[in-house]
Amino acid sequence: MNKQQSGKAQQNNKTKPEWQGPAIAAACIMFGFAFFGYLLPPIMLWLGEYSLVAAAVFAVLFVLAFFGVFWLRARSQK
């Protein structure tokens, strides 16, 4: 096997482009938060029956978690 053939064999081992992994991870995170955001109002109403402060804290934690996940992901990729 010459150098050209071995180079082609190494290129064939890569099935995904480099950008595809992070894009899939970001899409999964976005869809997960979109689904949870869809459920957020009923959860807040349920919590609001017990405590308005608990409902507000829950909403703030949701927003912080959204940005926190992307911050942690960016930090781990450095």
Side-chain angles (χ1 to χ4, degrees):
M1 190 184 281
N2 62 22
K3 287 184 180 182
Q4 285 182 332
Q5 289 174 338
S6 65
K8 285 184 179 181
Q10 287 177 352
Q11 286 178 346
N12 290 338
N13 289 339
K14 284 189 174 183
T15 57
K16 293 192 279 186
E18 287 183 22
W19 61 269
Q20 197 169 8
I24 291 172
C28 290
I29 292 168
M30 290 292 292
F31 284 124
F33 273 103
F35 177 72
F36 193 67
Y38 178 76
L39 297 177
L40 187 64
I43 294 171
M44 285 184 62
L45 289 173
W46 176 75
L47 281 173
E49 292 177 7
Y50 300 103
S51 169
L52 293 176
V53 174
V57 167
F58 185 74
V60 168
L61 289 176
F62 173 76
V63 173
L64 289 176
F66 179 76
F67 291 108
V69 166
F70 287 107
W71 178 73
L72 286 173
R73 181 161 167 72
R75 190 170 173 188
S76 72
Q77 288 183 348
K78 275 188 177 181

